[in-house]
Amino acid sequence: YTTPAIATQPANSSKCSGTNTTFTVVVTSPSGGLTYQWQEKVGSGSFTDLTNGGVYSTVTNATLTLTGVTTGMNGNKYRCVVGACSSPVISAEADLIVDAPPVITLQPVASTICAGMTTTFSTAATMTGGTVKWQKETNAGSGSYADITNGGVYSGATTETLMLTNVTINDTGYRYRCVATASGVCSPVNTSNALLTIRAIPTFTTQPIDKTVCEGLTTSFSTSADFSGAPSSYQWQVSESGN
C-alpha cells in the first residue's frame, strides 16, 4: 500500500453545551487498506483511542461525531491516526470549545402602579461574560419585542434592573423581558414576560358638602370619582378635631 497523506486536517470546533459537532480528516487515496482511529486528549493527559459510546460515534471513520457535548469537554483535543502501512500518519490536533448558555435565576414579575410613579423590573442570570438588555413589546399584547434604550422613562436598559420613572397611563398593557447573551457561541436566552399595568389617579367629579344638623339626627356625605376604568374603592375618613 502507498503511504496515506492528509489533505485536510481536522478543524477546531466551538459549540454550545448540548449541541452536536464533528471532526473530519480528508486523506489522499492510497491503493487500499485505509484505517482510521480517532483519539482524545483531556487536559494535560495523553491521547487515547476513542470507542463508540456515550457522546462518541464513528470513531473509526474519516468523520468523528460527538452528540450532546458538555462543558466538561471544553478544551479537549482530538486527532485521527490514519493507517495503511506499518507507519501510520497522525493528523493535526483540533480543539473542542464548549460554551455554556445563560441560566436565568430570577424572572421579572408583573408590576401595577399609578400614573406618575416609578417601578422596576429585575432579573439575574448566571453566565460567563456576556451582556443583558431589556426589551418592550412594540405594541401592547403583540408578543413582538424591541430593544429599550436609556432615556425618557427608562434607565438601566443594559443592566439586570430596568427602572421606569414617571410612567404615564399610555404605558399600560405592555410586557417587558430581558435578553441574556453569554460570551461564545450559545444563543441568547429570554426571561419570562412581565406585564406593566398603569392605573389612572382618580379625580373627584363631585365633592362632599358641609352639613349642619341637630344632635340625634341622621345625615350623609356623598361624592363621586372618575377612576378611568380602573378598579374603584372608597374609604371615608373623619377628623374629630375639626381640621
Side-chain angles (χ1 to χ4, degrees):
Y1 297 132
T2 57
T3 301
I6 296 177
T8 304
Q9 300 286 353
N12 296 337
S13 179
S14 295
K15 292 293 179 178
C16 190
S17 176
T19 61
N20 308 330
T21 191
T22 59
F23 293 101
T24 299
V25 64
V26 177
V27 179
T28 55
S29 299
S31 57
L34 192 63
T35 62
Y36 299 91
Q37 176 61 60
W38 284 92
Q39 297 180 327
E40 178 186 52
K41 179 181 179 181
V42 179
S44 59
S46 302
F47 276 98
T48 58
D49 291 350
L50 289 171
T51 57
N52 291 322
V55 301
Y56 302 109
S57 58
T58 63
V59 299
T60 55
N61 292 1
T63 296
L64 170 68
T65 301
L66 292 77
T67 304
V69 296
T70 66
T71 54
M73 300 169 67
N74 181 49
N76 288 0
K77 297 179 181 295
Y78 298 87
R79 72 183 186 184
C80 188
V81 179
V82 183
C85 298
S86 58
S87 297
V89 176
I90 300 176
S91 75
E93 302 171 5
D95 294 329
L96 174 63
I97 305 301
V98 183
D99 297 319
V103 177
I104 305 298
T105 56
L106 176 66
Q107 299 285 358
V109 297
S111 178
T112 300
I113 59 174
C114 285
M117 296 179 66
T118 295
T119 190
T120 59
F121 293 107
S122 295
T123 187
T126 301
M127 58 183 175
T128 301
T131 60
V132 295
K133 62 181 179 181
W134 285 92
Q135 295 182 327
K136 175 187 176 181
E137 280 184 309
T138 53
N139 292 293
S142 67
S144 177
Y145 288 81
D147 293 348
I148 294 173
T149 56
N150 290 323
V153 302
Y154 300 113
S155 59
T158 55
T159 69
E160 290 186 333
T161 298
L162 174 69
M163 178 175 288
L164 292 76
T165 304
N166 195 27
V167 294
T168 69
I169 194 66
N170 293 330
D171 295 314
T172 193
Y174 286 87
R175 289 175 170 82
Y176 294 79
R177 72 182 184 187
C178 190
V179 182
T181 305
S183 299
V185 299
C186 292
S187 299
V189 175
N190 300 330
T191 67
S192 58
N193 307 322
L195 177 65
L196 176 62
T197 302
I198 308 298
R199 302 299 191 199
I201 298 176
T203 55
F204 283 100
T205 55
T206 303
Q207 297 285 355
I209 58 175
D210 295 339
K211 294 291 184 72
T212 301
V213 295
C214 289
E215 183 179 16
L217 295 180
T218 299
T219 191
S220 64
F221 294 98
S222 297
T223 188
S224 61
D226 180 8
F227 290 87
S228 298
S232 59
S233 64
Y234 293 88
Q235 174 63 58
W236 285 90
Q237 296 179 327
V238 61
S239 173
E240 295 182 351
S241 66
N243 296 323

